[in-house]
Amino acid sequence: MKILNELRETGRNPYKYGIECKRAANKKMVGYFCSYTPEELIFAADAHPFRIFGSSEKIQLSDSHLQSYCCSPVRRALEDGLSGQLDFLDGVVFPHTCDSIQRLSDIWRLNLSFAFHLDVVLPVKLNTESARAYFTDVIRTFKEDLETVLQTRISHENLKHAITIYNQIRRGVQRIYELKRNNPDIIKGSDLYHIVRSSMIVDRNLLPETLNAIVTELESKNHVKSIDRKRLILTGSVCNHPDIYQVIEEAGGVA
């Protein structure tokens, strides 16, 4: 499938895509860490949200700035920043999630000179009125900060459009997962990996149509019976080692 080939290439070379996309669309590119980042606000500001995963380049620069217990994604992301691979980004957003990401924010601020650097300190407790009020204030502040650094205004209409687009994206990805759950051989685990990874990189305006095309193609093949194989569930963050899917499939399993 041509669309899947394009997503695989984007997943393998996200920075190349980011540079080409910025040149073609002439939009601000806003890097972000973790799925807790309120992407809809970045999109509503007419900027391009770009998930930073970190590449597979050899670590040479970042270890002198990080504690020994920091995870590979943090090390690789800082390495890419220090080596200039992320220079196409206009700014970076850091949600306060794990300890390593929180510390990375401070290290990044001190050692890299992007046009802007925003922290989003989300609530940990979610089931109280005070948490709701705090979360609302955090989102409002993030919106105002984006408007300032991007020199724009996030209108109510733009925000509604962003929410609509992102809900369409989520439904498309969810439908692909449902099809694979019911028929594991309908799509390879590695291809599903690239779809999910690329959905946090490519132009979100184009993504709903792309996902719908994949869904339509998969639904047309849904009558083909799957081979009876052991099914494994992989959990965790989106990593830089999709070879694990091939290892599982070659061993007779399906992920």
Side-chain angles (χ1 to χ4, degrees), residues 141-203:
T141 299
F142 181 52
K143 172 181 176 292
E144 293 170 355
D145 288 343
L146 281 173
E147 290 175 328
T148 299
V149 297
L150 295 174
Q151 298 181 331
T152 189
R153 177 179 173 273
I154 300 175
S155 68
H156 184 67
E157 291 73 21
N158 284 354
L159 188 54
K160 283 182 63 177
H161 173 67
I163 292 170
T164 298
I165 290 291
Y166 270 79
N167 284 342
Q168 290 173 352
I169 292 170
R170 292 185 182 103
R171 284 194 294 269
V173 173
Q174 181 181 10
R175 179 56 181 156
I176 294 170
Y177 266 98
E178 290 172 349
L179 287 165
K180 182 168 177 60
R181 179 193 64 200
N182 297 329
N183 191 340
D185 285 321
I186 201 170
I187 184 172
K188 290 183 178 180
S190 57
D191 286 338
L192 181 57
Y193 162 88
H194 284 301
I195 290 171
V196 174
R197 180 181 171 94
S198 298
S199 71
M200 293 175 269
I201 297 170
V202 302
D203 186 345

Side-chain angles (χ1 to χ4, degrees), residues 15 33 52-55 57-67 70-87 92 94 100-101 103-114 117:
Y15 299 159
F33 290 88
I52 300 173
F53 296 108
S55 69
E57 298 293 326
K58 183 179 179 180
I59 302 294
Q60 295 179 313
L61 303 173
S62 64
D63 274 350
S64 61
H65 299 274
L66 295 168
Q67 304 90 334
C70 282
C71 63
S72 174
V74 166
R75 292 182 183 281
R76 295 188 183 282
L78 182 58
E79 182 73 22
D80 293 347
L82 292 170
S83 64
Q85 293 191 72
L86 296 174
D87 285 353
V92 181
F94 288 83
S100 293
I101 291 291
R103 298 290 70 78
L104 178 63
S105 174
D106 298 327
I107 295 167
W108 197 282
R109 191 192 307 272
L110 292 170
N111 292 279
L112 293 164
S113 55
F114 287 86
H117 178 121

Side-chain angles (χ1 to χ4, degrees), residues 32-63:
Y32 71 94
F33 290 88
C34 188
S35 54
Y36 284 111
T37 299
E39 283 186 65
E40 289 89 339
L41 282 169
I42 300 173
F43 183 83
D46 198 31
H48 185 113
F50 188 95
R51 176 74 177 264
I52 300 173
F53 296 108
S55 69
S56 57
E57 298 293 326
K58 183 179 179 180
I59 302 294
Q60 295 179 313
L61 303 173
S62 64
D63 274 350

Side-chain angles (χ1 to χ4, degrees), residues 180 184 229-235 244-245 247-249 251-255:
K180 182 168 177 60
R229 295 187 286 169
K230 297 294 183 182
R231 301 172 66 174
L232 302 177
I233 297 177
L234 302 182
T235 65
I244 184 64
Y245 293 97
V247 170
I248 292 171
E249 288 161 0
V254 58

